[in-house]
Every structure is written in structure tokens, then in C-alpha cells.
Amino acid sequence: MLDEINRLRRELNSHNHKYYVENAPEISDYEFDTMMRRLQELEEQYPEYDDPNSPTKRVGSDLTTEFKSVEHRFPMLSLSNTYSMDEVRDFTERIEKEVGQTEYVCELKFDGTAISLTYENGTLTQAVTRGDGTRGDDITANVRTIRSIPLVLQGDDYPELFEIRGEIIMPYASFDKINAEREANGEPLFANPRNAAAGTLKNLSSAIVAKRGLDCTLYQLAGDNLPFASHWENMNKAREWGFKVSENMRLCHSAQDIKDYISYWDDERKKLPFPTDGVVIKVNRYADQRALGATAKAPRWATAYKFKAEQALTRLVSVDFQVGRTGAITPVANLEPVLLAGTVVKRATLHNAEQIAQLDIRIGDMVYVEKGGEIIPKITGVDIDSRPADSKPFEYITTCPECGTPLVRFENESRHYCPNQSHCRPQILGRIIHFIKRKAMDIDGLGEDTVELLFNSGLISNPADLYDLQAESLTPLPRLGSKSAENIILSIERSKQVPFHRVLFAIGIRFIGETTAKYLAAHFRNIDAVATASTEELMQVEEIGLKVAESITGYFEDKDNATMIERLKAAGLQFEEETRELSSDCLAGKSFVISGVFSLHSRDELKKIIESHGGRILAAVSANASYIVAGRNIGPSKLQKAEKLGIPLISEQQLEEMIEHGPQANENDDTSSGQPTQGILF
Ligand code: IVH
């Protein structure tokens, strides 16, 4: 039986490679799925032959993973970059002055998120993000779900231990599919494939990552015993081991070769199915790379030529003004349709009045449109020469286009606002739609269309009205049967259990996002404490500055808001943060420094948890500290100091364990990372 299992694993690995790396499948999806199912059956039947690297294990797991911060064996540097061909020539001239006539490798600059993969004895053992270049997050579980990354290598001539680095990218097709799904679910869209790839990799469930269609191209090897003395030869070898190495790399012998490569890809890249943002030029021979060395930030043997954002010239037909849920006015340009980076563009953002005035944009002008990192393109300039003789400076609106109320501008804010929060239609609708969102009250029986329908029929004009709805009053409405009416009532009822910090996010205080709401809830514990806090008290909370503090006090001063909150309280929503931890004195005599970014708790929460168990909080690392509770992105100087003083680092889970089992729970853990090994490159 083991023979059949091994054969299936071998064949499935090989078909995975043909499909995901070579883009040349040899069998149909159906045949592939049938083999996969057979292997799954056999593995279930014979658990003794389990193998963590089996192709069946690519689906990921629903168990959430906390990312461990690990030190890179070789730092992950960035690249110097330029938009000018002249500077590329300066680069090659400098190189040749230092090392003489040499070879270069030109390759595409993939626009995703950098990853460093470690292979030991031909097996993927670790995948770490770039992080701050010195330490990154261990995201191995997520990376293992990416089909173009081999879990086990082919051949037998790879070094025992090496790292290979590359870019995890999201092809346009996957990006479009995910955003379409997110739009349908009322979730915020990813601005671009790069953000989508990075966001996906930080997802705590690898089962979700597995479904996101990520891809990975490798572009750098690092290790002690690489087979060849040049980048080009080693990358070609890595392809034989099963890695996806771009076929578009070129070995160049002169500045002219480099220039030709860049001009070719400047245009040709538009046809690629994944995003690129430039060309990377690398000195090929390692001996030359070593001689050239690196600055603190980037190697001196490589540089990136960045492509200019694609631009189009078209006519500005008119400007619409949209009113958001907080009353913010956004001007949107209507354009004569024009082709830009593969899509037809009809609308563009203009940001605010100041920007329109600064660029002196006028109706009827020919304007330059660019696609930057945003979903909606933006206007970046005007072709003054083609301006019609009778054109007039643009006049920004002074009253709300929806309700006619005079607009206001807050100090240090470039946007205009409609102050008529309670009676301006898009603001009312926007607030209710925000309130029901998944990350807020998660009232999934309702969608935007239904909210609009309920509003138009006079049944709701405020989030609190939702809790007075009866199934009988919904059924007569068009498109709402008794089943969906019941569902709506049921999901409204369920929302009464949503925890306080999400309620605080849901009620729509300007500038209060999910994270700030969490910090506020952890700090003040209940709504009355938030509502009566002074701006100074509010500013004690992490991430809250004067502008946000004033927005909070302003919110609670408003009578309509106060009435709404009273009604929501009466309906039974959670207006108090649950205290999960039981107080004890199990941390008495221990002092803690909290540093970094955490996933399970806010810093304030951690502080409260420690204090409620008798521990003390220290502001800085010193010999008095017993432990450092370390989150992600903890600063390198803190780490160094902790190491010097021999203070152990613990994660937030370890802190929880400590509270559960007493401080000795962690004493045998080895939390320090291994010694960096000597290696070439970087
Ligand atoms: S080489 C020390 N090659 O660009 C040099 N980087 O702006 C290491 N990138 O962090 C990088 N495509 O994430 C290299 N073909 C390529 C690349 C590439 C994209 C990214 C990489 C790096 C960033 C620097």
C-alpha cells in the first residue's frame, strides 16, 4: 500500500509542478482531482503513512496561527531605485570602475511581498516575511499552501541547508475574483494585488490562504554551499530543483543590453497576468557582488529601474460630489472613457477642493489620469495648452448636494463636511450600512439594498430602529418573503451578543476604526466611561491624538447620538467589555515590559491582565524586568538590550499559559533564536 501512496504523492507533486510552475498541465483537472481523492482516502485508511509534506496537505488548516518573529540568517535588504535610464548608466559605470567589465542579470521586479524560504535536506522548513529586514514573521503554515512552492525538492544536488528568496504575488485573475467576492459580501476591497497578497499572508487561517490563488517567483539564493559562483547559473539550477524561476531573466553583457531589456518590458509587462513595477539589474558573479558590498539598506551590486505609472489623457466632463457616512464630501471626476492599464476608465478621484485648486483643474480640460496603488485612478495634471479659451476656474460647492446644508471645514482638514448628520440621506444610510457590516454588528440577513428599502419605506432611519423591527412589518415589502424577514429578525437578535468593542466601532464615531475601538474598549471597559471621558483622558489611549479625541467627545455631546445609544442599551446590546481573566496574585513579584504589535489583545488589555494578576509593568527594558512580552515588530534595540541582560521574551500566549499554570510554565522554553550561520551574499 505504501507503494501506491508514494506513487500517488510523486505523481501529484509532478503534476502540481507542471500546472503551477511550468503552466503546462499534462492531465485534466478531473484526473488530478481523482488521484488526489484516492490519495486522501488511502491516507485516511493508513494514518501510519502520514507525511506532513504530502500534496494533500496543501489545503491549509482552520487552526489559527500566531506568527512567531524570527531572525533572518542573512538580512533581507531592499534595493536602491531609479526612474531614469541615465541613472542606470551611472550605476553600470560605477560598477565597472570598481570591478571592471562584468556581466549583469536583468529580471522583472515583481510587485508582491518578499519571502525567504529555508530548505533543509530538500524539504521546506521555514518561510519568513521580510519584516524589518533583520527579523520577520514565520508564516510557514500559510506559505505551504502556495502550490508553486515545492514542499520537497527534485534531484539530489541541492545544498543541505539554504535559503531562497522571492516574491509572493497575486495574479490579476485571483485579485479580481477576491475583490468581486468581497464586494458581494460588503467587505472593504483590497486596493491592489500587492496589498491583497500581503494581507492574505497575514491571515491567521491557512485554509483561507489556500483559497486565495497566490503564486511565488524566486529570485535569489543564499547559503554556504551553492553549486555555482554566479546568480544566473544558480537560479537556473534552482529551476531544476522545482522552483518557479522567471523565464524572463536575461544575462546582459553591456549597458545597451540592459537598456534594451528595460525598453522591451516597459511595454510588454502590460500583457503579463501578474503585477510588476520595474526591472531589477544585478551583478551576476558572486565574487563581484562581494567586492561591491552593501550599504546598511541595500546592496551596491543591484538596483531597480521602476516603471512610470501608466498615464492617459482624456477630457474632464463633469464633477460629482459624494457624501459619505460621516458627512465627508468626495469629489469624483466623470471622464470621457479612456483605456488605461488594461481597463476602461470613466471616473477618477479628485480628493478635495485644495487639490483641485492646486492643479487648477477645470471642467472641459484635458487631464492626465494615472493608476497608482488605488482602485480608482486619480487625476494628476492638466494639459493647459489644450484648455478651451472660455474655461472658468472650478467653483467648489458650498452646500451639501444631498440636503442643501452649508458645508463646513475642520481645522487642519482638507475635506469639506456636511454637518447635518441626522437628516442627510446618504449619511443616515451610510451609518446604518456601516452598523450592520461584518466587522461591526454582523447583521448578515441585511444587505445594502434591504437597508435602502427599509429606509425608503420609513421603517428605519437610525441603527436603533433595527431593534424595533417585527417580522410582520417586513413581509409586505417587495422582494422580502417571510423566510428572509425571519432571517433578518434572527440576525438582528443575534447581534445583541456582539462584544462591546465591535459595538463601539459600529456606532460610527468619525476616525474610530476597528483597532482604535478595541483600544478604547480595553481602556475604558464600558460606554459611559468613554462618553464621559475628557479629551485628555481619551488621549491616554494608544493611537488616540487630539483630532480623534475631539471627534469622540463631539459624538457624545450630540443629543441624537445620546438618544440612539440609550435605545441600543435598552435593546440589550453589549455596552461593557467582558472581563475574561480572573484576578489572582500569580504574577506577584514579576515585572513585565510590553513591546511590539499583538494579535490577541491590545497593549492596554495586556497591561490590565498582568496587573490584575499582581504583576508590575515597566516602561523600558532594564535589569529589573522579569520578562518581555514580545509582539511582532519589536524594536531591534529592545531585543539587543534584553539579550544582553538575559531577560526572556515571551509571547502573549505564553503569558496566558503563565497565568494559567504559574510562571514556571515557561522556564524551560528556549525562546532565543539560533546563532546566525556564516554565509555568502547580502
Ligand atoms: S532582489 C538584496 N529581485 O523588491 C536584493 N527583489 O525594492 C534583494 N523584488 O524587497 C532583492 N522583484 O521584495 C529582487 N527580481 C527581483 C525582485 C525583487 C521584486 C522586491 C523585493 C525587494 C524589493 C526591493
Tab-separated table of all heavy atoms in Angstrom, residues 562-596:
chain	number	residue	atom	x	y	z
A	562	ALA	N	-26.780	60.490	21.663
A	562	ALA	CA	-27.039	60.043	23.031
A	562	ALA	C	-28.358	59.267	23.090
A	562	ALA	O	-28.440	58.197	23.705
A	562	ALA	CB	-27.068	61.245	23.965
A	563	THR	N	-29.382	59.779	22.395
A	563	THR	CA	-30.676	59.079	22.383
A	563	THR	C	-30.519	57.702	21.746
A	563	THR	O	-31.054	56.700	22.244
A	563	THR	CB	-31.716	59.894	21.559
A	563	THR	OG1	-31.588	61.254	21.924
A	563	THR	CG2	-33.109	59.392	21.764
A	564	MET	N	-29.785	57.662	20.632
A	564	MET	CA	-29.623	56.371	19.949
A	564	MET	C	-28.951	55.363	20.884
A	564	MET	O	-29.368	54.212	20.978
A	564	MET	CB	-28.791	56.544	18.682
A	564	MET	CG	-28.536	55.231	17.983
A	564	MET	SD	-27.506	55.392	16.526
A	564	MET	CE	-25.882	55.388	17.257
A	565	ILE	N	-27.929	55.800	21.593
A	565	ILE	CA	-27.208	54.877	22.480
A	565	ILE	C	-28.118	54.396	23.611
A	565	ILE	O	-28.132	53.206	23.936
A	565	ILE	CB	-25.904	55.522	22.976
A	565	ILE	CG1	-24.945	55.512	21.791
A	565	ILE	CG2	-25.305	54.768	24.162
A	565	ILE	CD1	-23.675	56.214	21.969
A	566	GLU	N	-28.939	55.296	24.148
A	566	GLU	CA	-29.888	54.866	25.188
A	566	GLU	C	-30.812	53.785	24.645
A	566	GLU	O	-31.097	52.787	25.305
A	566	GLU	CB	-30.712	56.063	25.702
A	566	GLU	CG	-29.937	56.971	26.657
A	566	GLU	CD	-29.142	56.210	27.724
A	566	GLU	OE1	-29.717	55.311	28.358
A	566	GLU	OE2	-27.933	56.498	27.902
A	567	ARG	N	-31.286	53.983	23.411
A	567	ARG	CA	-32.202	52.989	22.827
A	567	ARG	C	-31.483	51.660	22.588
A	567	ARG	O	-32.036	50.591	22.802
A	567	ARG	CB	-32.777	53.529	21.518
A	567	ARG	CG	-33.799	54.650	21.746
A	567	ARG	CD	-34.345	55.152	20.425
A	567	ARG	NE	-35.005	54.096	19.661
A	567	ARG	CZ	-35.182	54.136	18.341
A	567	ARG	NH1	-34.750	55.165	17.645
A	567	ARG	NH2	-35.786	53.146	17.725
A	568	LEU	N	-30.231	51.735	22.127
A	568	LEU	CA	-29.474	50.494	21.879
A	568	LEU	C	-29.220	49.756	23.192
A	568	LEU	O	-29.246	48.531	23.247
A	568	LEU	CB	-28.146	50.789	21.163
A	568	LEU	CG	-28.245	51.293	19.722
A	568	LEU	CD1	-26.864	51.649	19.185
A	568	LEU	CD2	-28.892	50.243	18.806
A	569	LYS	N	-28.978	50.533	24.243
A	569	LYS	CA	-28.771	49.926	25.564
A	569	LYS	C	-30.036	49.189	25.979
A	569	LYS	O	-29.994	48.034	26.407
A	569	LYS	CB	-28.519	51.027	26.598
A	569	LYS	CG	-27.073	51.353	26.830
A	569	LYS	CD	-27.018	52.321	28.005
A	569	LYS	CE	-25.657	52.908	28.212
A	569	LYS	NZ	-25.668	54.005	29.167
A	570	ALA	N	-31.179	49.893	25.803
A	570	ALA	CA	-32.462	49.300	26.197
A	570	ALA	C	-32.741	48.030	25.386
A	570	ALA	O	-33.348	47.084	25.876
A	570	ALA	CB	-33.570	50.321	26.003
A	571	ALA	N	-32.249	48.005	24.130
A	571	ALA	CA	-32.472	46.819	23.288
A	571	ALA	C	-31.623	45.639	23.748
A	571	ALA	O	-31.848	44.504	23.332
A	571	ALA	CB	-32.168	47.159	21.839
A	572	GLY	N	-30.601	45.899	24.558
A	572	GLY	CA	-29.817	44.787	25.109
A	572	GLY	C	-28.470	44.558	24.441
A	572	GLY	O	-27.893	43.481	24.555
A	573	LEU	N	-27.934	45.560	23.739
A	573	LEU	CA	-26.602	45.388	23.133
A	573	LEU	C	-25.526	45.419	24.218
A	573	LEU	O	-25.767	45.910	25.318
A	573	LEU	CB	-26.343	46.522	22.127
A	573	LEU	CG	-26.791	46.216	20.699
A	573	LEU	CD1	-28.300	46.087	20.636
A	573	LEU	CD2	-26.343	47.330	19.758
A	574	GLN	N	-24.348	44.915	23.878
A	574	GLN	CA	-23.258	44.848	24.859
A	574	GLN	C	-22.556	46.205	24.939
A	574	GLN	O	-21.905	46.620	23.982
A	574	GLN	CB	-22.213	43.791	24.451
A	574	GLN	CG	-22.782	42.408	24.225
A	574	GLN	CD	-23.371	41.845	25.493
A	574	GLN	OE1	-22.764	41.946	26.558
A	574	GLN	NE2	-24.560	41.280	25.389
A	575	PHE	N	-22.672	46.858	26.067
A	575	PHE	CA	-22.011	48.147	26.234
A	575	PHE	C	-20.944	48.092	27.322
A	575	PHE	O	-20.541	49.095	27.863
A	575	PHE	CB	-23.031	49.248	26.508
A	575	PHE	CG	-23.649	49.747	25.232
A	575	PHE	CD1	-24.934	49.397	24.864
A	575	PHE	CD2	-22.902	50.545	24.367
A	575	PHE	CE1	-25.471	49.841	23.664
A	575	PHE	CE2	-23.432	50.992	23.170
A	575	PHE	CZ	-24.723	50.635	22.818
A	576	GLU	N	-20.529	46.874	27.608
A	576	GLU	CA	-19.497	46.691	28.611
A	576	GLU	C	-18.535	45.623	28.114
A	576	GLU	O	-18.975	44.630	27.544
A	576	GLU	CB	-20.145	46.215	29.900
A	576	GLU	CG	-19.490	46.786	31.123
A	576	GLU	CD	-20.365	46.554	32.337
A	576	GLU	OE1	-21.367	47.282	32.520
A	576	GLU	OE2	-20.044	45.615	33.056
A	577	GLU	N	-17.227	45.843	28.291
A	577	GLU	CA	-16.246	44.855	27.851
A	577	GLU	C	-16.262	43.690	28.831
A	577	GLU	O	-16.261	43.900	30.046
A	577	GLU	CB	-14.850	45.517	27.813
A	577	GLU	CG	-13.787	44.698	27.148
A	577	GLU	CD	-13.942	44.604	25.613
A	577	GLU	OE1	-15.052	44.832	25.077
A	577	GLU	OE2	-12.940	44.275	24.966
A	578	GLU	N	-16.306	42.501	28.263
A	578	GLU	CA	-16.319	41.320	29.124
A	578	GLU	C	-14.967	41.157	29.797
A	578	GLU	O	-13.935	41.317	29.141
A	578	GLU	CB	-16.532	40.096	28.231
A	578	GLU	CG	-17.665	39.222	28.667
A	578	GLU	CD	-17.784	38.077	27.701
A	578	GLU	OE1	-18.451	38.250	26.655
A	578	GLU	OE2	-17.188	37.037	27.991
A	579	THR	N	-14.955	40.837	31.060
A	579	THR	CA	-13.657	40.556	31.688
A	579	THR	C	-13.513	39.054	31.773
A	579	THR	O	-14.252	38.399	32.502
A	579	THR	CB	-13.546	41.162	33.099
A	579	THR	OG1	-14.854	41.307	33.597
A	579	THR	CG2	-12.812	42.471	33.103
A	580	ARG	N	-12.592	38.552	30.968
A	580	ARG	CA	-12.438	37.102	30.912
A	580	ARG	C	-11.541	36.607	32.023
A	580	ARG	O	-11.749	35.588	32.627
A	580	ARG	CB	-11.857	36.686	29.559
A	580	ARG	CG	-12.919	36.462	28.522
A	580	ARG	CD	-12.284	35.939	27.280
A	580	ARG	NE	-11.297	36.902	26.758
A	580	ARG	CZ	-10.153	36.561	26.220
A	580	ARG	NH1	-9.794	35.315	26.137
A	580	ARG	NH2	-9.327	37.486	25.763
A	581	GLU	N	-10.487	37.406	32.285
A	581	GLU	CA	-9.490	36.893	33.219
A	581	GLU	C	-9.949	37.039	34.671
A	581	GLU	O	-10.607	38.008	35.032
A	581	GLU	CB	-8.145	37.596	33.007
A	581	GLU	CG	-8.055	38.999	33.503
A	581	GLU	CD	-8.650	40.011	32.539
A	581	GLU	OE1	-9.278	39.608	31.537
A	581	GLU	OE2	-8.515	41.198	32.797
A	582	LEU	N	-9.638	36.035	35.456
A	582	LEU	CA	-9.951	36.091	36.882
A	582	LEU	C	-8.730	36.640	37.584
A	582	LEU	O	-7.607	36.256	37.286
A	582	LEU	CB	-10.224	34.675	37.388
A	582	LEU	CG	-11.620	34.136	37.109
A	582	LEU	CD1	-11.729	32.719	37.617
A	582	LEU	CD2	-12.675	35.021	37.765
A	583	SER	N	-8.949	37.527	38.506
A	583	SER	CA	-7.782	38.089	39.177
A	583	SER	C	-7.132	37.070	40.109
A	583	SER	O	-7.800	36.197	40.637
A	583	SER	CB	-8.206	39.301	39.965
A	583	SER	OG	-8.763	40.212	39.074
A	584	SER	N	-5.829	37.195	40.233
A	584	SER	CA	-5.086	36.342	41.164
A	584	SER	C	-3.807	37.089	41.513
A	584	SER	O	-3.612	38.212	41.076
A	584	SER	CB	-4.735	35.013	40.495
A	584	SER	OG	-3.652	35.212	39.608
A	585	ASP	N	-2.918	36.470	42.274
A	585	ASP	CA	-1.646	37.143	42.512
A	585	ASP	C	-0.508	36.275	41.993
A	585	ASP	O	0.601	36.296	42.487
A	585	ASP	CB	-1.476	37.483	43.998
A	585	ASP	CG	-1.508	36.220	44.847
A	585	ASP	OD1	-1.735	35.136	44.262
A	585	ASP	OD2	-1.298	36.322	46.067
A	586	CYS	N	-0.827	35.484	40.940
A	586	CYS	CA	0.171	34.530	40.462
A	586	CYS	C	1.362	35.218	39.791
A	586	CYS	O	2.380	34.591	39.554
A	586	CYS	CB	-0.457	33.482	39.564
A	586	CYS	SG	-0.990	34.156	38.009
A	587	LEU	N	1.255	36.498	39.442
A	587	LEU	CA	2.410	37.173	38.833
A	587	LEU	C	3.091	38.119	39.841
A	587	LEU	O	3.929	38.935	39.454
A	587	LEU	CB	1.977	37.965	37.595
A	587	LEU	CG	1.307	37.167	36.467
A	587	LEU	CD1	0.949	38.089	35.313
A	587	LEU	CD2	2.220	36.045	35.958
A	588	ALA	N	2.699	37.993	41.110
A	588	ALA	CA	3.267	38.900	42.118
A	588	ALA	C	4.788	38.799	42.134
A	588	ALA	O	5.357	37.706	41.993
A	588	ALA	CB	2.709	38.560	43.498
A	589	GLY	N	5.447	39.942	42.217
A	589	GLY	CA	6.905	39.961	42.286
A	589	GLY	C	7.563	39.936	40.912
A	589	GLY	O	8.786	40.005	40.796
A	590	LYS	N	6.758	39.807	39.844
A	590	LYS	CA	7.346	39.778	38.493
A	590	LYS	C	7.066	41.107	37.786
A	590	LYS	O	5.979	41.681	37.940
A	590	LYS	CB	6.717	38.654	37.660
A	590	LYS	CG	6.822	37.294	38.296
A	590	LYS	CD	8.112	36.613	37.887
A	590	LYS	CE	8.280	35.288	38.593
A	590	LYS	NZ	9.677	34.992	38.889
A	591	SER	N	8.058	41.547	37.005
A	591	SER	CA	7.880	42.795	36.261
A	591	SER	C	7.949	42.510	34.768
A	591	SER	O	8.772	41.706	34.328
A	591	SER	CB	8.986	43.774	36.621
A	591	SER	OG	8.978	43.954	38.009
A	592	PHE	N	7.108	43.207	34.016
A	592	PHE	CA	6.988	42.923	32.584
A	592	PHE	C	7.167	44.187	31.750
A	592	PHE	O	6.694	45.257	32.130
A	592	PHE	CB	5.591	42.368	32.277
A	592	PHE	CG	5.308	41.051	32.945
A	592	PHE	CD1	4.938	41.005	34.291
A	592	PHE	CD2	5.410	39.860	32.241
A	592	PHE	CE1	4.671	39.796	34.908
A	592	PHE	CE2	5.142	38.638	32.853
A	592	PHE	CZ	4.776	38.605	34.197
A	593	VAL	N	7.831	44.007	30.601
A	593	VAL	CA	7.876	45.092	29.614
A	593	VAL	C	7.039	44.602	28.439
A	593	VAL	O	7.204	43.453	28.008
A	593	VAL	CB	9.322	45.358	29.150
A	593	VAL	CG1	9.344	46.428	28.070
A	593	VAL	CG2	10.180	45.775	30.329
A	594	ILE	N	6.122	45.435	27.944
A	594	ILE	CA	5.285	45.019	26.814
A	594	ILE	C	5.791	45.754	25.580
A	594	ILE	O	5.906	46.976	25.591
A	594	ILE	CB	3.812	45.381	27.069
A	594	ILE	CG1	3.347	44.737	28.378
A	594	ILE	CG2	2.931	44.934	25.917
A	594	ILE	CD1	1.954	45.154	28.789
A	595	SER	N	6.082	45.011	24.525
A	595	SER	CA	6.619	45.685	23.347
A	595	SER	C	6.241	44.943	22.077
A	595	SER	O	6.274	43.719	22.026
A	595	SER	CB	8.137	45.776	23.480
A	595	SER	OG	8.646	46.427	22.364
A	596	GLY	N	5.882	45.698	21.043
A	596	GLY	CA	5.549	45.101	19.753
A	596	GLY	C	4.050	45.168	19.489
A	596	GLY	O	3.299	45.786	20.228
